[in-house]
Every structure is written in structure tokens, then in C-alpha cells.
Amino acid sequence: MHNLPEDTNHRALSEGQKDTGETTKNPTTKKWLLPIWPFAVAFVGYPIWWVLGLGDLGWPIMAIFMVAVLSKMGKGPTVPKGFGIWLLFLLWALCSIIMLDSFGRVLGFVFRYSMYLGATVFFIYVYNAKTRLTEQRVFGILTGMWFVVVVGGFAGLLFPVFELRTLLAYVLPQGILSNEMIHEMAFRTLTQFNSDPNAYVISAPRPSAPFLYANSWGNVYSVLTPVVVAYLGMIRGKKLFWWVLFSIPVSFIPAFLTLNRGMFLGLGIALIYVALRAIMAGNVKVLVAMLSLGIIGAIAVTTLPVTERLDVRTSRVSSVETRENLYIEAYERTLESPILGYGAPRPSENPGAPSVGTQGQFWMVLFSSGFPGAALFVGWLAWLFFKTFKRNDMVGLVSNTILLLTLVEIFYYGILTTGLIVVMTVGALALRNDPKSAENEKRHF
């Protein structure tokens, strides 16, 4: 872009040219465009974090690079007005640190809070990188992450007991590696399972790579699949279209064999919601696409040994009853510390049961940050949903759908960390192109 004299630049903007906010300190110089690479490396480079043993720590690490790039913006980045809800949640969650009673829980708090901060930076970055991080590029990069998830699922099916000693395992002392969370990060497996007959929950191997838990796999797959379907419409007529189209039904194999009932529920809600929106808008093409996906999914369920495996899994332990008891315990114990919660999950009063605040994002926030923290967290997601509901284009509809199924899944899935990063990304993408975005932006952040 050629440099404009100062008066010409101001005149151009006043005549309707959009200012993306990606400018340097001097308005007469070339515009500073936020680069793609921090965002792309964070998602497509996730396998590197996995091999290194860093895993989800890759998100706050890349967020640091994003902050460095954002600092070069002359006026500073902009945020939507409702962003204050999220900032209040961050403040409230930070205050709950005074409720922690051990060094180990402080470390866990720092880890989780760094993920919240990382998600915040991703939102701000995508919201302001309007020139280079176009809708198609963002969806293309997220589709790349989806392929990583699918390949990890197949790897888990093929090598269920494989374990990788990551670089982190070689550099950390044995004392630190004895910590359960650190050990899981340093020694990576492709599946999640527990064959101990004395364990509270006995489970056969379920694909989880590149994440620690099978439920994390299901959550990320469910929030990324709508993006992949929308991306098909963006690359129609290209060779890549056929590769992505073929990959969607193929991905159903690891998806259904993870036995993630919550994922089935989330994808089912997304399918029905988009179909209803298509009927309301009279969009026959989208409706046919949703019906086709539903038929393919039904064929996959009847063809793959999904129902048999689910019967075996539920016959070994009633995970629904276990979760229900933990939810009740989380609520009742939060009543004893309703304002700031307990700062972090705590052991259950039922011996051998999972810790309270680990079986769902909502319950973790409620137990860790009290009722105000939970209200702010859910309020932020609800605000994003209603703000993006106004958009009827494909990107807006997909983003709105992902936010809806996230509002459902937070009650039984922990969406930290990758799930939250995806949600903040699509939320920022949909908000920044709101026709009234100029009215909805705050002063520079």
C-alpha cells in the first residue's frame, strides 16, 4: 500500500474507508499489519507442543508473541464493549487465589489462569487482525487443527497403549515428574484408559491424542467440525475441497469410537440448530447439507461398534451417576464459600471419586471462583451467542452454533484449554464483522 499524505489519509477514512486498527504510531507511514504466523503456528504447530511435552502450554507461549506484535500497533488494539464482562471474570478469578491452601494448588491455579489469559490474547488478536487473518484464512487454519485432532484419533485406535517420553521428561528432575499433572504432560499417550480393577472408574482405551483426555478430544472435535463444514463452502472449486469433503465422513470413525456421549449431544444440537436456522431463512442448500450429514452420521452409528462399546462402558460404571453426585457436591460445598469459591478443585468427600470441580467447565468455575465467577463466565458466553445471533451469513451462523453447543458442553466438559481458544477465536471473528462494529467498539484497549 502506498503511503498517503496525512490529509489524504484522513480524507480517505472519512469517505468510508475502514480503519482496521492495524497502524503504526505515525499515520503517514505504511500500515502495520498483524502477521498470520503467531495464530497459524499456535494451531497447526500443536503437534510440536505435544512432542515437546508442553501440550496446552503452547497457547500462552504463542500468546506472548501475539502481545509483542500487538504492542507495535500505534493506537493499540480495540475490543467490543461487552468485553468488560470477560475482564471482570478474569479479575474475579484472580481474586480467588487467596482461597488456595497449598503450593500444588497454586501451581494448578497459575496453569489454568495462564490459559484464560492466553484465550484473552487470542480473542484480541483475531478481533484486530482484520486485514491478514481473513475469515477464510482463520477457518482454513482451524481446519488444519481439525486434521491434527482426527489424525490423533486414528493414532489412538491403531496404537492404544503407545507412550511417548517427551523432551520435557528428559529435562525435568524426577521430583517434579512425580506430580501427576506434570507426569501426564511429560509422558504422552494416544489414549485415555484405566484398567486397574480397584479404580473408581474402569475404562477401555479411548482415543485422546493430541490431548490428555478423551473428553477434551470430543469437545475440540465438536467445536471444530462446524468450521470444517463451512470451510468447504469457501474452497468450492479447488482440489482441497475434495480432500476435506472426503475427510469428514472418515473422521466419524475415531469420533464415534471415542464413545463421547457429550460430543454426540453437542453435534446433534448443532445439526438441529443449523437446520432450524436454514428453514427459517429458507436456505434449502444448507438444510440439504445438514440432512446429508445426519444420514451419514446415522449410517456410521449403525456400521461402527458404537452401541456395543457404549453398553460395555456403561455396564462397568455409572459415570452419569458419578457426575451427578460430583455436581451436587460442587454446588453444596460452594454454598459454604459462595463469593470466591475455593480457588481450585479439591478432593471429593467420596473416597476414590474424581476431584470436585474437574468434571465440567461450569462446575470448575463455580467451585473455584464462586457464584459471581460462574455468572460472569456464563454471561460472557451468552453475550457472545446473542451478539453473533444477528449474523445470517455462513461464518456468523457457524460461530453462533459453536457458541450454543459450548454453552451446553460446559456443564459436562472442561473446555480449558483448546476448546476455549477455539470459542474465543470464532467469537472474535464473528463480532469484528458485525455491520455495527464501529458502534460496538470501545476506545483503544
Side-chain angles (χ1 to χ4, degrees):
M1 181 183 293
H2 296 290
N3 295 333
L4 294 174
E6 185 171 357
D7 57 340
T8 307
N9 189 32
H10 283 270
R11 184 169 61 253
L13 291 176
S14 65
E15 291 173 358
Q17 217 175 21
K18 290 184 178 180
D19 182 5
T20 64
E22 303 170 87
T23 58
T24 57
K25 295 181 180 179
N26 187 346
T28 65
T29 62
K30 184 178 180 179
K31 283 190 175 181
W32 169 256
L33 302 180
L34 295 176
I36 302 171
W37 69 264
F39 183 82
V41 170
F43 282 97
V44 184
Y46 194 88
I48 299 175
W49 311 117
W50 187 81
V51 172
L52 292 176
L54 297 175
D56 290 328
L57 284 175
W59 301 120
I61 289 174
M62 293 311 302
I64 294 173
F65 286 100
M66 290 182 175
V67 170
V69 174
L70 286 167
S71 66
K72 296 183 180 181
M73 296 179 64
K75 295 180 179 179
T78 55
V79 294
K81 284 183 178 179
F83 195 64
I85 302 174
W86 178 253
L87 294 180
L88 284 175
F89 164 72
L90 291 179
L91 177 61
W92 202 269
L94 183 61
C95 291
S96 67
I97 195 173
I98 65 175
M99 306 301 293
L100 300 176
D101 58 355
S102 70
F103 180 70
R105 291 194 176 109
V106 171
L107 286 179
F109 178 91
V110 171
F111 175 81
R112 287 186 294 273
Y113 199 76
S114 69
M115 298 302 164
Y116 288 130
L117 292 178
T120 305
V121 174
F122 270 78
F123 180 92
I124 296 173
Y125 197 88
V126 173
Y127 190 78
N128 286 270
K130 302 176 183 179
T131 303
R132 287 183 173 168
L133 275 180
T134 62
E135 292 179 345
Q136 182 168 333
R137 280 176 175 168
V138 171
F139 272 32
I141 292 170
L142 293 181
T143 298
M145 179 66 184
W146 179 84
F147 274 105
V148 170
V149 174
V150 172
V151 170
F154 273 108
L157 293 176
L158 296 173
F159 310 101
V161 294
F162 172 82
E163 183 180 80
L164 172 68
R165 185 183 178 93
T166 68
L167 181 63
L168 191 67
Y170 290 99
V171 299
L172 291 181
Q174 188 60 39
I176 297 179
L177 288 174
S178 61
N179 180 278
E180 183 179 356
M181 184 181 73
I182 300 298
H183 186 273
E184 289 179 339
M185 293 173 59
F187 295 88
R188 288 286 183 169
T189 59
L190 301 175
T191 59
Q192 178 190 358
F193 66 95
N194 192 343
S195 58
D196 184 356
N198 298 318
Y200 192 84
V201 176
I202 303 172
S203 62
R206 299 165 59 206
S208 59
F211 312 109
L212 291 177
Y213 309 112
N215 283 346
S216 298
W217 195 99
N219 168 245
V220 176
Y221 178 84
S222 65
V223 296
L224 284 178
T225 298
V227 171
V228 178
V229 175
Y231 186 60
L232 281 173
M234 298 177 174
I235 57 174
R236 190 181 295 114
K238 299 180 181 179
K239 292 183 179 180
L240 182 60
F241 173 88
W242 299 106
W243 284 100
V244 177
L245 180 63
F246 174 75
S247 299
I248 292 177
V250 172
S251 75
F252 290 169
I253 298 175
F256 284 110
L257 294 182
T258 59
L259 305 181
N260 271 302
R261 291 164 293 181
M263 180 195 69
F264 300 154
L265 175 61
L267 288 175
I269 290 174
L271 198 66
I272 295 173
Y273 180 71
V274 173
L276 290 175
R277 290 285 299 267
I279 293 174
M280 293 172 59
N283 194 326
V284 179
K285 291 183 178 180
V286 173
L287 181 60
V288 170
M290 294 303 101
L291 291 174
S292 300
L293 283 175
I295 293 172
I296 295 173
I299 294 174
V301 170
T302 56
T303 304
L304 297 170
V306 177
T307 54
E308 293 86 349
R309 290 198 177 193
L310 278 174
D311 290 339
V312 172
R313 183 186 173 202
T314 54
S315 65
R316 292 184 176 182
V317 62
S318 179
S319 59
V320 174
E321 182 180 352
T322 301
R323 282 177 173 269
E324 182 182 356
N325 292 335
L326 284 172
Y327 298 159
I328 294 173
E329 183 179 351
Y331 174 77
E332 291 179 345
R333 289 177 64 177
T334 304
L335 290 176
E336 300 174 5
S337 181
I339 306 302
L340 294 175
Y342 296 89
R346 300 286 178 93
S348 172
E349 295 175 349
N350 187 354
S355 295
V356 180
T358 60
Q359 304 298 307
Q361 186 68 35
F362 171 80
W363 303 103
M364 185 182 75
V365 175
L366 175 68
F367 191 77
S368 301
S369 303
F371 289 98
L376 289 169
F377 186 86
V378 176
W380 165 248
L381 293 178
W383 182 85
L384 284 176
F385 172 75
F386 287 112
K387 287 296 294 184
T388 56
F389 182 80
K390 301 176 183 179
R391 290 189 58 175
N392 294 317
D393 61 295
M394 184 54 67
V395 171
L397 176 58
V398 166
S399 301
N400 184 249
T401 302
I402 292 172
L403 288 162
L404 174 64
L405 70 89
T406 298
L407 280 167
V408 174
E409 290 186 352
I410 59 173
F411 289 95
Y412 52 82
Y413 277 163
I415 67 172
L416 275 180
T417 56
T418 305
L420 181 61
I421 296 289
V422 173
V423 168
M424 296 291 267
T425 294
V426 297
L429 190 69
L431 284 180
R432 75 183 192 185
N433 291 315
D434 188 325
K436 298 181 179 180
S437 60
E439 300 174 11
N440 293 330
E441 285 186 358
K442 271 185 163 184
R443 60 179 178 272
H444 293 284
F445 186 67

